[in-house]
Amino acid sequence: MIDAELFRGHRLQAWAAVASMIALIANAGDLSANEVAKPATATAVVPAAAPASTTSTETEKPAAAAVAEPAPPPTPAKELFGAMTSPAQLEARALGFYSKGCLAGARALPVDGPAWQAMRLSRNRNWGHPGLVALVEKFAVEARDFDGWPGMLVGDLSQPRGGPMLTGHNSHQIGLDADIWFTPMPDRRLSNKEREDLSAVSMLGPDKLSVDDKRWSPAHVQIIKRAATYQEVERVLVHPAIKKALCEASASTTDRAWLGKVRPIFGHHYHFHIRMSCPPGSAGCVAQAPPPTDDGCGKELTDWFALLTRPPAPPPAKPVPPKPPLTLDQLPAECRTVLEVGIAKPVEPAPQRSLAPASAKSKSVAKSAEKTLNQK
């Protein structure tokens, strides 16, 4: 009788252990190794493991909140546009401002023409709005035919899709700017290496405040005047010393309206800079404020020479941090389309699906508990 009661006690305790394990599986979905009840030995009765006490002195700590890593800085727009090697096959449009925009539907200026040669071919900056390219071609031919200029050496226009450049210019972003060297084209075709290595010649004299009479000529005056008289040209940028030479060369003439378009600016003594107005069909083009209506040979030029002769300012006590580069989000919204059109996007691989059921581990623990019961 006593043996029967003991046997029945063993069976009840084992069933209680199994029930406790199944309850834990249902609540937690898994069991760790130290939570599996040990089988009873032949010399002792092992009671079922008691559930964890809710009055434990050990306080459960909440999981620490995940710290989000800072987002990486956006890629500078000059790196994105500088990597483009072909134009955006869209309707030709200058988008944004000369120093903050991009170019759709660009056309390449041929590297060789009847009256021009493009320089620095490795930069791939002989692209422009079709209106600008047509203007440069017309300008070169007319300067040869009517002004006796041997031909143009053409510097930078724009990148295939415009936008900020990795080096050099702040402007030239919307395909409406072109640099023309003061050095005339030689009477032969330059090799690609010569176009990379040949240096432009400065028109400034030793004092850096006047032109060099050995290099400056009436033909230079005439080609700048021709560029400024084109209706589509908004302004021509030259060094203040060159502006002064133009004013002096035109002192006895009454035709001085074109001089107002010739604007003095730092640099620009190795080349002059032609800037077109916003062309028809470019609704997103932002125009520059028009130049003053006078010839610019008076007080404005005097003020520029005051700047050129002023002693240099002392360096700041604390270095001024560089201005952060433009990002794509700071350009006109259409520039994202200009950048992405025609570029194949990588296909993301499909996520891998697991073939094992989520409760496989729980079923394995339950099967182990059943085997323990059968051994009782």
Side-chain angles (χ1 to χ4, degrees), residues 41-357:
T41 63
T43 57
V45 175
V46 181
S53 173
T54 56
T55 59
S56 171
T57 57
E58 182 179 354
T59 304
E60 185 179 355
K61 297 180 180 179
V67 179
E69 295 184 3
T75 303
K78 63 182 179 181
E79 295 183 16
L80 301 175
F81 284 93
M84 296 293 102
T85 59
S86 60
Q89 298 297 333
L90 299 167
E91 179 185 1
R93 292 175 65 198
L95 298 164
F97 189 63
Y98 298 92
S99 57
K100 194 176 184 180
C102 62
L103 172 63
R107 178 188 159 200
L109 175 74
V111 298
D112 293 304
W116 73 84
Q117 295 184 49
M119 304 298 286
R120 307 293 192 260
L121 302 182
S122 64
R123 298 179 181 177
N124 196 25
R125 295 177 182 176
N126 59 315
W127 299 84
H129 187 280
L132 176 71
V133 174
L135 172 67
V136 171
E137 294 173 345
K138 177 179 73 171
F139 177 37
V141 171
E142 291 185 350
R144 180 198 62 186
D145 294 346
F146 302 114
D147 304 325
W149 192 254
M152 302 280 180
L153 293 180
V154 182
D156 289 350
L157 274 66
S158 186
Q159 299 177 135
R161 305 189 186 204
M165 297 183 180
L166 289 169
T167 59
H169 313 279
N170 287 325
S171 60
H172 290 253
Q173 294 192 28
I174 58 176
L176 301 180
D177 298 284
D179 290 341
I180 309 296
W181 287 24
F182 284 117
T183 305
M185 185 181 80
D187 59 356
R188 62 181 179 84
R189 184 184 184 278
L190 297 172
S191 68
N192 286 4
K193 187 176 188 306
E194 286 177 311
R195 299 183 198 220
E196 298 296 331
D197 298 340
L198 183 66
S199 176
V201 177
S202 172
M203 295 293 106
L204 296 185
D207 62 357
K208 306 300 181 184
L209 297 173
S210 60
V211 297
D212 187 341
D213 292 335
K214 296 179 181 179
R215 297 173 178 170
W216 184 255
S217 70
H220 287 99
V221 177
Q222 191 59 36
I223 63 171
I224 294 176
K225 179 179 179 180
R226 178 170 298 280
T229 54
Y230 288 129
Q231 183 177 1
E232 58 265 48
V233 171
E234 195 265 348
R235 63 189 68 201
V236 179
L237 308 179
V238 299
H239 188 275
I242 294 175
K243 170 75 176 189
K244 181 180 179 182
L246 296 172
C247 292
E248 292 172 349
S250 306
S252 60
T253 65
T254 57
D255 179 17
R256 302 175 63 82
W258 63 274
L259 282 167
K261 283 188 179 182
V262 182
R263 311 299 300 151
I265 195 168
F266 291 114
H268 294 79
H269 50 90
Y270 291 92
H271 69 266
F272 58 100
H273 180 144
I274 298 174
R275 172 165 293 171
M276 274 187 63
S277 303
C278 287
S282 290
C285 182
V286 179
Q288 187 171 2
T293 56
D294 66 345
D295 60 15
C297 295
K299 181 179 183 303
E300 180 184 43
L301 192 56
T302 301
D303 291 343
W304 268 102
F305 275 87
L307 284 176
L308 293 174
T309 57
R310 185 175 59 186
K318 185 177 180 181
V320 179
K323 186 178 180 180
L326 288 172
T327 64
L328 184 57
D329 287 341
Q330 292 174 300
L331 301 181
E334 297 93 335
C335 290
R336 186 174 296 275
T337 300
V338 169
L339 190 66
E340 294 176 351
V341 68
I343 303 300
K345 296 182 179 180
V347 179
E348 297 183 1
Q352 297 293 325
R353 295 181 60 188
S354 175
L355 298 179

